[in-house]
Amino acid sequence: MNKRVLLVEDEPNIIEAIRFILSRDGWRVDTHADGATAVEAVRARVPDVLVLDVMLPGKSGFDILKELRASPATETLPVLMLTAKGQSRDRELAERYGVNRFMTKPFANSEVLESVNALFAGATGPA
C-alpha cells in the first residue's frame, strides 16, 4: 500500500528535509506551496496525511484547516501542523480547528516521522 502525504509548506529547505525523511520511510510525498489553493490541492490529491504549515502565502494554515474540517470529504483527514509560531494561543487555535498534532519549528526529523506514521496508523486502524 502506498502511503501518501501532502506537505503544504513554502520554505524550500523544510520541504526538502521533510521529503527526504518521509521518502526514505516509504512515503510518497507531494508538495504544495500556496495557501490560497491548498484546499483544492488536498481535494485533488487525497493524501493519507496532511502536513500543514501555518504561515503560507495567500491563506494561513489555520484558515485552511478550518475549511478542511468544514467539508465532509476532509473532516477526518489526519493533519500535522508545523509552525515557527509556538505560542500557546497558536496551539489552542489549531486544536479548536481540529488539528491532530501540532509541532513547532525547528523540529527533530525523528519527531516528524513518528508523528506522520502515528497519524497514518490512527487513520487506517491496526496494522
Side-chain angles (χ1 to χ4, degrees), residues 29-100:
V29 181
D30 293 322
T31 62
H32 192 80
D34 183 19
T37 56
V39 172
E40 291 81 12
V42 170
R43 290 183 181 140
R45 294 181 179 142
V46 194
D48 294 307
V49 176
L50 174 64
V51 179
L52 179 62
D53 188 16
V54 170
M55 294 182 288
L56 293 162
K59 186 186 283 187
S60 81
F62 295 125
D63 292 335
I64 293 164
L65 179 61
K66 188 176 179 181
E67 192 173 335
L68 291 171
R69 291 302 186 233
S71 169
T74 54
E75 67 185 350
T76 62
L77 175 66
V79 177
L80 167 62
M81 186 167 267
L82 297 176
T83 184
K85 300 171 62 175
Q87 294 90 350
S88 61
R89 70 176 178 269
D90 295 318
R91 182 180 296 271
E92 290 165 9
L93 186 59
E95 288 173 358
R96 187 174 334 130
Y97 289 157
V99 76
N100 299 93

Side-chain angles (χ1 to χ4, degrees), residues 1-5 27 46-50 76-79 100 115-127:
M1 176 181 199
N2 271 350
K3 303 179 294 184
R4 296 182 58 199
V5 65
W27 284 88
V46 194
D48 294 307
V49 176
L50 174 64
T76 62
L77 175 66
V79 177
N100 299 93
S115 292
V116 170
N117 281 321
L119 287 172
F120 179 72
T124 61

